[in-house]
DNA sequence: GAAGATTGAGAGTTCAATCTTC
DNA sequence: GAAGATTGAACTCTCAATCTTC
């Protein structure tokens, strides 16, 4: 997760100062916000991955598994997973291929559309998914150090950001 | 940047609903916040990378270049860059190697410590850095769709998150 | 011709191992 | 022995190209 050394100051606050110094005060707050998102992402994914490592899972594959475990028929077309997880089709292919090798998912042909492939979670995959989810919930999601109001506000602000980027309708 | 299809609903809000349905309401808000950070990261990095593509730069290399352009002597030891940018030493080596091939940075031996390597920005690197920064500021940092108060709050919340994760003192 | 999925190329990341120098 | 840097292995991601099926 990057260098472990502890700096006596926040590198992002320092970068913002530099931005202002160079006459870019109009974008300094935006730069600091974006850089904070990048860094928070790095920290959070790292924490989740550490929790999932004993299960031989990564955040990406965990997301695939959870998505499948939530579907009524325990299966979903690859393309739909790509849309729902908002990642490139190749990423889903890769994740599902690995999960299949681990015996947590199987791939079957779509019953009516010969072009499509269905990914289906196995009983073992379902078992592992819920076990891992409980751990991730306890170790990360429910212990972020922000209270309910703060989490809601963070979700709202990032939602607005995503909306502005055309991500959500 | 992942699948381009527009869903009629927010996949993250949907995931949160599923979390609650499965009895995990205590971690639902945290899960939604973390997933939002992941998605926002993906969108923002993609936007910045698009702006930087004409300059043959990526966000990672851009950050290296900006850091060097801010230093008094226009140079910095590899290890220090790793700490400041908060990425693994190998990432810095990789980025600097590419920047060197592009003629934007040069590597020289540390004057007093034989183990260390100094990266120094070239005049061309400096020129490009500022030109690219102006574009990124205009196209991304100053047009995130959040007002000043919202950006400040986002920065504060992510700062608290980073602090809780032991990232900042 | 378009849609769904896969594959390969190119970038970036981290961690562990290695080499050199302190 | 520890610190600084590099290298290689293993992952993930995206995009473009390709193949099959609609």
């Amino acid at each position: 997760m990057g260098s472990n050394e502890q700096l006596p100051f926040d590198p992002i606050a320092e970068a913002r100062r530099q931005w202002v110094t160079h006459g870019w005060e109009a974008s300094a707050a935006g730069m600091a916000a974006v850089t904070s998102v990048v860094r928070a992402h790095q920290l959070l994914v790292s924490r989740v991955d550490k929790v999932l490592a004993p299960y031989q899972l990564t955040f990406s594959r965990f997301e695939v598994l959870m998505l499948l475990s939530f579907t009524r028929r325990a299966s979903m077309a690859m393309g739909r997973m790509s849309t729902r997880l908002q990642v490139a089709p190749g990423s889903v292919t890769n994740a599902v291929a690995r999960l299949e090798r681990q015996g947590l998912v199987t791939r079957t042909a779509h019953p009516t559309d010969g072009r499509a492939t269905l990914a289906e979670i196995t009983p073992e995959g379902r078992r592992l998914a819920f076990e891992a989810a409980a751990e991730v919930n306890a170790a990360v999601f429910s212990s972020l150090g922000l209270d309910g109001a703060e989490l809601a506000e963070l979700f709202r602000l990032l939602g607005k950001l995503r909306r502005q980027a055309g991500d959500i309708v």
Side-chain angles (χ1 to χ4, degrees), chain A:
Chain A
M1 178 186 42
S3 185
N4 293 328
E5 285 165 66
Q6 198 65 266
L7 282 169
F9 56 89
D10 176 7
I12 300 182
E14 170 61 17
R16 184 176 49 182
R17 202 164 319 128
Q18 291 281 13
W19 231 250
V20 172
T21 298
H22 286 78
W24 296 325
E25 43 272 307
S27 5
M31 183 280 296
V34 170
T35 308
S36 296
V37 168
V38 171
R39 180 58 178 163
H41 167 264
Q42 184 184 16
L43 289 167
L44 292 170
V45 170
S46 166
R47 283 179 64 179
V48 173
D49 278 343
K50 270 189 184 47
V51 174
L52 292 176
Y55 298 95
Q56 311 267 63
L57 289 176
T58 61
F59 202 162
S60 315
R61 275 174 278 162
F62 173 69
E63 288 188 299
V64 168
L65 224 43
M66 291 314 295
L67 179 60
L68 286 176
S69 78
F70 287 154
T71 62
R72 190 175 297 280
R73 328 187 68 88
S75 72
M76 191 181 273
M78 302 294 282
R80 180 151 181 72
M81 301 183 70
S82 169
T83 305
R84 280 294 293 272
L85 297 173
Q86 315 196 76
V87 295
S91 296
V92 176
T93 297
N94 180 270
V96 169
R98 286 174 193 281
L99 289 170
E100 189 170 38
R101 266 179 260 145
Q102 295 178 277
L104 308 176
V105 154
T106 56
R107 259 185 294 206
T108 61
H110 187 103
T112 67
D113 189 337
R115 298 167 299 179
T117 302
L118 251 40
E120 181 173 353
I121 192 169
T122 66
E124 164 69 1
R126 187 181 293 277
R127 197 189 59 65
L128 198 70
F130 280 86
E131 202 178 315
E135 281 242 28
V136 173
N137 278 329
V140 185
F141 296 161
S142 65
S143 51
L144 294 173
L146 302 187
D147 62 37
E150 290 173 323
L151 288 177
E153 180 64 0
L154 181 55
F155 179 67
R156 185 186 78 76
L157 291 171
L158 292 174
K160 186 166 182 182
L161 197 95
R162 292 191 291 130
R163 202 160 293 114
Q164 297 293 334
D167 189 40
I168 324 176
V169 216

